[in-house]
Amino acid sequence: MADATASARARIRDLLRAPEPDVLAPLLHDAALDADSRARVEQRALAMLADLREAQSRGWVNQFLQEYRLNTQEGVALLSLAEAFLRVPDPDTADSLISDKLGEGDWRSHKGKANSTLVNTATWGLVIGRALTSDSENASALRKLISRTGEPFVRTGVGAAMRMMGEIFVMGRTISEAIERMGKRENRGFTASFDMLGEAARTFPDADRYYASYEDAIRAVGRQASQGHSISVKLSALHPRYEVAQYDRCVPALIGKVEALATLAASLNIPLTIDAEETERLEMSLDIIGAVAGLPALKGWDGLGMAIQAYGKRARPTIAWANCIGKKTGRRIAARLVKGAYWDTEIKRTQEQGLSEYPLFTRKAATDVSYLACAKDMLEASNIYPAFATHNALTVATLLEWAGNSRDFEFQRLHGMGEGLYEDLVQNQGYHCRIYAPVGGHRDLLAYLVRRLLENGANSSFVHQLADENLTDEQLLADPVAKIAAVGGTRHPSIVLPENLFAPERKNSEGIDLNDQHDLARVAAAVARSLDFGPISTPPAEELVTRALRGFSDWSKRSVEERAATLDRLGDALERERPMLMRIAVKEAGKTIPDALAEVREAVDFCHYYAAQARKHLEPLELPGPTGERNMLRLEGRGVFVCIAPWNFPLAIFLGQVTAALAAGNAVVAKPASQTPQIAAYAVGLAHEAGVPEDALILAAGRRDMGQKLMEDTRIAGVAFTGSTATAKHIARTLIADDHRPIIPLIAETGGINAMIVDSTALPEQVVQDVITSAFRSAGQRCSALRLLVLQEDVAERTLEMLTGAMDTLIVGDPSDPRTDVGPVIDQPSFDKLMGRREAMKDRIVKTIPAPAEGLFVPPTLIRLDRIEDLTEEWFGPLLHVTTWEGGKLAETVRRVNASGFGLTMGLHSRIARAAETVEETGTVGNLYVNRSMIGAIVGSQPFGGEGQSGTGPKAGGPHYLPRFCAERVTSTDTTSAGGNATLLSLEDVGF
């Protein structure tokens, strides 16, 4: 049995990045029906469709959801309003949110269309609501009429509607309320699996609160164990760092917590199911489930269950593993098979991480095929109690066909969805169906509600298609096996592999799956190895420029294609040498493993991006003009460019500047920061191996006065600099000090007092996650890092409570340790300056966390300020300042931030689209980030660079960067001067 369990785990690992057709081939065979079975399944499914449609025609809730589906502008607006409204504490922001969302749809087009009076009444309310929130004369008159009542009419009505939507999807605000509701007539014959709402803990107190709610729920259900209800548990709600990198501290803790909950559930004889998480957590979840299943205290209890997501390529071997664990521990594992809940997130993450393949299927029909094949395995497994969660009539009919006369399994559906599908099966045919029933307040509902509506409202979902009057029954019941066989099991053409994300222009940089325990361990071992580099000696600046001028005469004469191909080879070489480059980044620059990987990937992207840009824009261009004249525009190298890079991105920014200059045809003298010369030297060596002549790219390191001497050399043709504002200004003064030297370009990217503004519609959990990432990742040593958090007064204390709790989960320490979140700062002067700031502001510190006493570790620190204006300079490290702003004064708040004179990055968290428009119109910053973190710009997608005291532009990694390194030259030739315009004279029907 040990061998079978190990084999299943090996298969789970093998399929993580397997090509989609290879995974689907055996599934197609086992999910197929013979002709007779198919005919019986279709007949049964048709009868179910009739029941479903009849149920939907009765319920105003179903009609409302059908009327405002997610493929309509109005449906999206309602979903956005429901997601945010109930957490907004202040009336002014609530009114702005209502106005924003109700202004996004054509509500009048829905009037009187539904059969339900309630739905039509609600639609009239939305029509009136939009009128009240518009700027028309009628709206003004209507507002005056309603104001006489003395009630905030629209706000009250919308609030009631949003709470009603909440009640549709939540069984009860408390477990006792949910148990009572399950006893009502409409739920007769059904049992429930109660899910205590909570998407994920952000803090240890959150995890304790969720644990207590699970424990209370188990006790409450246990008091009425005869009713057959169960509890569902989400592991990410029980630990704030349920991550692969934190395996050693989260998995043992979770085993202990699940063991305690399972022991309690077993003592009360009620089932306990471990819910599914994102695919990156699957193997951790299996480790926890396997450990708990093997506990001697739980022997003989068949109540332990787990959820398995059929959209994952590893679903089938996961079922095999569950069956092995059941046999090994002498129990039946209750396996809940679901289609999947995080599909869009998984796709996005895989693309962002540049991984080789998706961990899930890209076609809805492929998920259906996987579901059927997995279901067949479950029905045949001797140590699994099958639970099939589906709203799809064809799927249900197929399972009934395969099950025959057996009733030794159950169906499951979501509360608020799928009414009419199971009532006859449960009440008249003796089948069992369990309702997945969320329990919690409206605040906890929001994330769950959004996910479920997106999942079931997507165009490809059965729930959505059932409501589409344009689809026939035959289309609804189309065989998914036939659909997938027809396309050969191939990936959906609109979902390209991550490597082709930017195709055909260029390939995307390759990533490493740091959420895979084996890959992470391999990388950690590689970066931990010691390095032994000797000192770098460099000739005087004058000699370097002389050499580079010789190099320019050769390199500039090479074709655009030859230069571009050389840069592409360099990008490939960087990927080949990625382990070494990551090791140097960790050892020399104090980068954590994720940051070191991101550094190499960005450098690779710069190589391929500027190669592609050169091919696209640097070939000679013929311009229009009068007949008999030829005008040619050429972009050519200027001469010798000096590129001065910072220590915080010693590879990515270093090579970003260098490759742009080289692509344009310049020779380069590249000066790395004095703290990080080795990674620059290694990169230059790779560039030479890739074909860049040694005189066309020269490393200038090891001499303290090198930068100044290079600036004073009047033969240089341009400067690219990233660093402090003060140094950039000094360079600018040096370049114009001599009246006799040429006027040359200075491309400077400097720092900033980067602010994030948060209003009361923002989701606190998302805000906190993005603040932690923006302020403390890379030890706060990014140009784009968050320096000033500006919270709306109405939510400031609640957000700060969560933020300080999230800071407690961070680990400060050795950057080569995968568990480390925050590494050291770069050098002793930086350490002393930052620690001095902490000392000076010690009475203002809201939160700080422990850091190692030995080494250059600055503890992440949160400092309270009275006003935005109190932060007057950039503190380049893990120090985050926080202050508040008054709701309703967003534009004024942005202008106050602008007044600092810096203009690099700004963040906004708000669910009000007009708020984003206000910040976009008012903010004078190079990069604005809305509802996301403020770091991690992507080459070609998010060009980076500031304005004001934060840089000159153009943006690195953008379409306007490369021409700044070029000289523009035009040749105009009069072709008539040599005896006439032969082209013109050759045309027909011309003459004198």
Side-chain angles (χ1 to χ4, degrees), residues 559-581:
S559 69
V560 170
E561 176 54 40
E562 186 176 354
R563 297 198 301 263
T566 302
L567 296 186
D568 278 333
R569 288 195 297 273
L570 174 56
D572 295 340
L574 293 171
E575 286 193 325
R576 186 180 66 248
E577 294 294 315
R578 181 173 57 195
M580 173 60 82
L581 291 166

Side-chain angles (χ1 to χ4, degrees), residues 870-894:
D870 291 344
L871 187 61
T872 58
E873 64 177 294
E874 179 185 37
W875 294 92
F876 210 74
L879 308 184
L880 174 61
H881 301 78
V882 61
T883 188
T884 60
W885 65 286
E886 184 181 345
K889 296 184 178 181
L890 180 58
E892 176 187 331
T893 301
V894 176

